[in-house]
Amino acid sequence: MKQRIEQPKSSEITPRELYMSRRSFLTAAAGIGAAALGAEKVNELLHPLTVKAATHLNAQRSPISTTGEKQTPYQDVTSYNNFYELSTDKETPARIASSFHPLPWTLQIDGLVGRPLKLDYDELMKLAPLEERVYRHRCVEGWSMVIPWIGFPLKALLDRVQPTGQARYVAFTSVTRPKELPGQQRGVLNWPYKEGLRLDEAMNPLTLLTVGLYGEVLPNQNGAPVRIVVPWKYGFKSAKSIVRITLTDRMPPTSWNESNPSEYGFYSNVNPKVDHPRWSQARERRIGELFRRETLLFNGYGDFVAGMYKGMDLRKDF
Ligand SMILES: Nc1nc2c(c(=O)[nH]1)N[C@H]1C(S)=C(S)[C@@H](COP(=O)(O)O)O[C@H]1N2
Ligand SMILES: [Mo]
């Protein structure tokens, strides 16, 4: 739609306000037509990518939040995505995300634990107090964002299941639903999407079991209803739409490492000095900015995480 609507920049307002202002505009401008069809339907037709009002989540802003950096607008966070289960391009996931119907959901936690657990969505949401964590998000492809996530430390969940003394790694398995996720009808990756962390990485206070962003439940294209966020690693370590978390004694296989081991290692810590075989990782494009900025070691989270890699050769263990 070409028509310009006078409204504040989307970066200055919340998604709900954005949605409401468009809705009132439409109701006023389209008059009887909008009323007859339903403002929501009209809105959808005119703005296929438009933000929809979703369920609000109450969360306290955590002091472990990046400050002094502009948050990436909601519109960008929710319309420029890597979610290969939906599509391999960046814009399609948001467009077709409504084909995915996450609920009802079961998250299973098993493996080397004293008390294996199965949680439905409501049980998961009640497991620990929700926090808002503003984190930098650096994709291995060279773009970055700043996103206000909502969730709680993965550690709260792991403590609950009581890892045994043998547990050393944590494996994450994403959802398999080819009927709802058209990308899974093609063999771009070995489905389901798999990721993994060392147990100390999974227990690190930064590692967030994430259920929302910008004050609302996770949009489908961002990994509804539950994903992890591991902000000092490249984005692909932050598996979306997780159905299973398994504690293991061996380094688990991961999808990107399986598909291209020379390009994607198990650790994948953000590191400007260790280039991807096909491009430099020294700089990044912050979505919405014109000039590239320097990429920071551990994405700027070294104070929290550098100690876990003491004595390791980060070029070898990339
Ligand atoms: N299951 C699953 N998880 C995934 C991906 C994916 O394709 N499938 N893409 C990864 C990549 S490459 C990135 S950069 C982030 C993107 O998260 P965002 O769309 O919420 O920004 O999700 C990661 N988690
Ligand atoms: Mo990524």
Side-chain angles (χ1 to χ4, degrees):
M1 149 145 161
K2 298 215 182 64
Q3 202 165 345
R4 290 266 324 152
I5 308 169
E6 266 318 307
Q7 58 180 29
K9 285 209 325 254
S10 61
S11 56
E12 293 163 4
I13 53 179
T14 69
R16 188 182 307 282
E17 285 164 336
L18 178 62
Y19 169 75
M20 294 311 283
S21 70
R22 283 195 180 149
R23 187 160 72 169
S24 40
F25 161 78
L26 283 164
T27 315
I32 226 85
L37 200 53
E40 211 160 318
K41 191 77 209 158
V42 174
N43 200 25
E44 222 174 271
L45 293 171
L46 296 180
H47 303 269
L49 285 177
T50 284
V51 171
K52 292 226 184 88
T55 310
H56 179 76
L57 296 175
N58 281 318
Q60 291 282 319
R61 167 78 56 91
S62 161
I64 311 182
S65 279
T66 295
T67 54
E69 284 178 70
K70 189 176 162 292
Q71 292 176 20
T72 305
Y74 181 94
Q75 184 69 23
D76 294 327
V77 173
T78 58
S79 65
Y80 189 84
N81 302 101
N82 272 336
F83 197 2
Y84 278 25
E85 284 87 337
L86 282 166
S87 167
T88 53
D89 76 57
K90 306 268 185 282
E91 289 80 19
T92 305
R95 264 193 216 110
I96 65 170
S98 60
S99 69
F100 179 33
H101 299 280
L103 300 189
W105 197 262
T106 306
L107 175 61
Q108 175 175 356
I109 307 101
D110 60 6
L112 300 174
V113 298
R115 292 174 171 268
L117 196 61
K118 272 186 190 172
L119 297 169
D120 69 21
Y121 181 69
D122 292 334
E123 292 166 333
L124 173 71
M125 297 298 279
K126 276 186 244 145
L127 194 106
L130 296 182
E131 301 172 24
E132 181 176 71
R133 296 274 186 98
V134 184
Y135 281 159
R136 287 181 288 269
H137 177 69
R138 171 60 157 82
C139 178
V140 72
E141 296 164 337
W143 50 270
S144 66
M145 300 191 189
V146 176
I147 303 176
W149 301 108
I150 291 178
F152 55 80
L154 177 62
K155 182 179 191 304
L157 178 59
L158 295 178
D159 284 343
R160 187 69 64 100
V161 297
Q162 300 172 4
T164 69
Q166 281 84 54
R168 289 190 55 213
Y169 292 91
V170 183
F172 302 91
T173 309
S174 294
V175 67
T176 308
R177 288 192 201 170
K179 284 198 181 123
E180 297 180 25
L181 300 164
Q184 288 191 326
Q185 293 160 22
R186 285 169 290 125
V188 273
L189 286 172
N190 288 332
W191 308 116
Y193 193 97
K194 293 183 291 296
E195 257 311 329
L197 295 171
R198 225 168 49 191
L199 183 58
D200 59 335
E201 298 177 319
M203 291 289 218
N204 188 280
L206 285 184
T207 304
L208 197 71
L209 198 71
T210 301
V211 297
L213 57 80
Y214 267 107
E216 306 198 334
V217 297
L218 273 182
N220 287 350
Q221 63 270 29
N222 293 90
V226 57
R227 67 178 296 174
I228 52 161
V229 172
V230 193
W232 71 96
K233 293 178 180 283
Y234 292 117
F236 66 86
K237 296 297 291 182
S238 296
K240 294 177 167 180
S241 305
I242 295 170
V243 294
R244 188 170 179 189
I245 298 178
T246 307
L247 289 271
T248 63
D249 55 358
R250 266 169 236 189
M251 189 180 276
T254 65
S255 290
W256 280 104
N257 181 256
E258 265 181 355
S259 87
N260 200 335
S262 63
E263 298 192 358
Y264 306 104
F266 178 81
Y267 285 95
S268 291
N269 292 314
V270 174
N271 191 334
K273 297 222 165 75
V274 177
D275 289 340
H276 186 279
R278 290 184 281 135
W279 59 81
S280 162
Q281 293 292 25
R283 296 176 158 270
E284 67 197 58
R285 187 171 68 88
R286 179 67 51 86
I287 298 300
E289 288 181 357
L290 206 52
F291 300 103
R292 286 175 183 269
R293 51 166 72 214
E294 285 183 9
T295 286
L296 305 171
L297 179 60
F298 299 122
N299 206 20
Y301 296 103
D303 288 351
F304 292 93
V305 304
M308 296 192 293
Y309 308 105
K310 252 190 217 134
M312 281 175 62
D313 179 350
L314 298 177
R315 278 174 198 283
K316 201 176 124 262
D317 288 315
F318 63 98

